[in-house]
C-alpha cells in the first residue's frame, strides 16, 4: 500500500505544536485517521514525517539557536503522550530521535553540536539509537560491538538489532566497547562499511519510508568513525 497522506489542512491541526492541546489537535488531524493503515502497511509515510518537522516536534527541547524551542521536559512528555495515543510507532520514532538529540546537546563536542543539533532540531537530519544487539538485547554491559582507536579516528565492528527507525535515519548513536569502557559514537549513514536493513530480509535496500518492523545495522566491513562524544555514557 502506498500512503499518499491526503490529509486536509485544517486550522486545528496546523502550526507549531507547543503544548498538550495543540499536540492533540495535530494527532487527531494527521495521525488518528490513518494509524490503522500504517499498521496494515507496516510503514509510516514520509509526508507525516514532514508534517512532524513542520510542527516542530522532532526536538523541541533543544535551545532555539539549535533548532528547537527551549521546551521543558514535562511539556515534552505530555506531547509524546498525545502522539503515542494516536500511533505508538510514531511516538517511538520521536523517542529515539530525542535520545540522539539530547546526547549530542549534552555530551557532544562544540564541533559535533555545530554540525548536528540544528539539523536534528529541524528534522532535516533524523537520528536512531543503536544499543541493542542480537545476543545481548539492551543489556549495555553485554554488548560485543567494539571500537578501536586509530590514527585516523575509530574503527567500529559489530552488529546492532531492533534499531527503531534504522532504515531511515541519517545519523546513528552507536554504543561500542572500547578498551576501557563503553563509548558512544555518531555514525552518519553514508559512513563506508555501514549497512542497515530490515531484520526479516537484510538484503533489500531501504525504502523511502520508516519501517515499523525492527531494523538491523552493522558494518559489512570495518566502519571508520571520527565522531566520538566528548564525555559519552559509560558502564562498568
Amino acid at each position: 500500500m502506498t500512503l499518499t497522506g491526503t490529509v486536509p489542512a485544517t486550522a486545528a491541526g496546523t502550526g507549531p505544536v507547543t503544548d498538550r492541546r495543540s499536540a492533540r489537535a495535530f494527532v487527531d488531524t494527521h495521525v488518528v485517521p490513518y494509524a490503522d493503515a500504517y499498521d496494515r502497511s507496516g510503514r509510516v509515510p514520509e509526508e507525516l514525517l514532514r508534517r512532524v518537522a513542520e510542527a516542530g516536534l522532532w526536538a523541541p527541547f533543544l535551545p532555539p539557536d539549535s533548532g528547537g524551542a527551549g521546551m521543558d521536559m514535562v511539556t515534552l512528555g505530555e506531547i509524546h503522550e498525545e502522539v503515542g495515543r494516536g500511533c505508538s510507532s510514531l511516538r517511538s520514532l520521536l523517542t529515539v530521535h530525542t535520545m540522539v538529540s539530547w546526547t549530542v546537546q549534552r555530551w557532544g563536542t562544540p564541533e559535533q553540536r555545530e554540525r548536528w543539533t540544528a539539523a536534528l532540531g529541524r528534522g532535516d537530519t533524523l537520528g536512531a539509537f543503536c544499543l541493542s544487539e542480537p545476543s545481548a538485547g539492551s543489556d549495555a554491559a553485554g554488548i560485543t560491538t567494539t571500537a578501536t582507536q586509530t590514527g585516523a579516528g575509530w574503527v567500529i565492528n559489530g552488529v546492532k538489532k531492533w534499531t527503531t527507525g534504522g532504515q531511515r535515519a541519517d545519523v546513528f548513536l552507536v554504543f561500542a566497547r572500547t578498551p576501557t569502557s563503553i563509548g558512544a559514537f555518531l555514525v552518519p549513514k553514508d559512513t563506508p562499511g555501514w549497512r542497515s536493513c530490515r531484520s526479516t530480509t537484510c538484503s533489500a535496500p531501504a525504502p523511502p519510508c520508516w519501517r515499523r518492523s525492527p531494523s538491523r545495522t552493522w558494518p559489512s566491513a570495518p566502519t571508520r568513525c571520527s565522531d566520538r562524544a566528548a564525555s559519552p555514557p559509560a558502564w562498568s
Side-chain angles (χ1 to χ4, degrees):
M1 176 185 293
T2 300
L3 301 179
T4 57
T6 55
V7 182
T10 64
T14 59
V17 171
T18 58
D19 54 19
R20 182 186 290 275
R21 182 176 181 179
S22 55
R24 178 164 296 184
F26 178 90
V27 171
D28 286 346
T29 301
H30 301 300
V31 180
V32 170
Y34 310 98
D36 287 345
Y38 302 158
D39 282 335
R40 289 192 296 270
S41 66
R43 61 182 64 187
V44 176
E46 284 288 329
E47 180 173 346
L48 179 57
L49 306 184
R50 289 192 293 270
R51 290 189 184 276
V52 169
E54 291 167 359
L57 281 171
W58 283 113
F61 57 88
L62 291 175
D65 60 359
S66 296
M71 181 178 292
D72 65 271
M73 288 297 179
V74 172
T75 301
L76 181 70
E78 292 175 347
I79 289 173
H80 280 207
E81 185 176 46
E82 288 298 324
V83 174
R85 175 180 61 84
C87 177
S88 186
S89 293
L90 180 58
R91 192 271 314 153
S92 293
L93 298 177
L94 290 176
T95 297
V96 296
H97 186 83
T98 293
M99 296 163 78
V100 175
S101 302
W102 175 260
T103 299
V104 176
Q105 176 67 19
R106 173 65 179 84
W107 286 289
T109 64
E111 294 77 14
Q112 290 168 343
R113 290 196 294 272
E114 181 178 359
R115 177 180 180 183
W116 296 110
T117 52
L120 289 166
R122 293 189 304 267
D124 295 339
T125 293
L126 299 180
F129 186 87
C130 295
L131 173 65
S132 299
E133 297 184 358
S135 61
S138 57
D139 176 12
I143 66 172
T144 59
T145 296
T146 61
T148 304
Q149 192 167 18
T150 69
W154 295 81
V155 176
I156 300 174
N157 272 297
V159 177
K160 297 294 182 179
K161 196 174 181 181
W162 305 295
T163 304
T164 299
Q167 287 184 276
R168 174 56 178 79
D170 302 296
V171 63
F172 298 83
L173 182 65
V174 180
F175 291 82
R177 189 173 297 279
T178 71
T180 59
S181 66
I182 292 176
F185 300 83
L186 293 169
V187 181
K189 69 177 181 181
D190 58 357
T191 300
W194 183 264
R195 182 186 177 194
S196 179
C197 70
R198 192 177 183 183
S199 291
T200 55
T201 60
C202 289
S203 60
C209 66
W210 288 84
R211 286 286 186 176
R212 299 182 73 191
S213 58
S215 291
R216 178 176 294 180
T217 54
W218 72 94
S220 55
T223 295
R224 299 184 181 275
C225 175
S226 59
D227 253 353
R228 181 179 179 181
S231 301
W235 293 266
S236 58

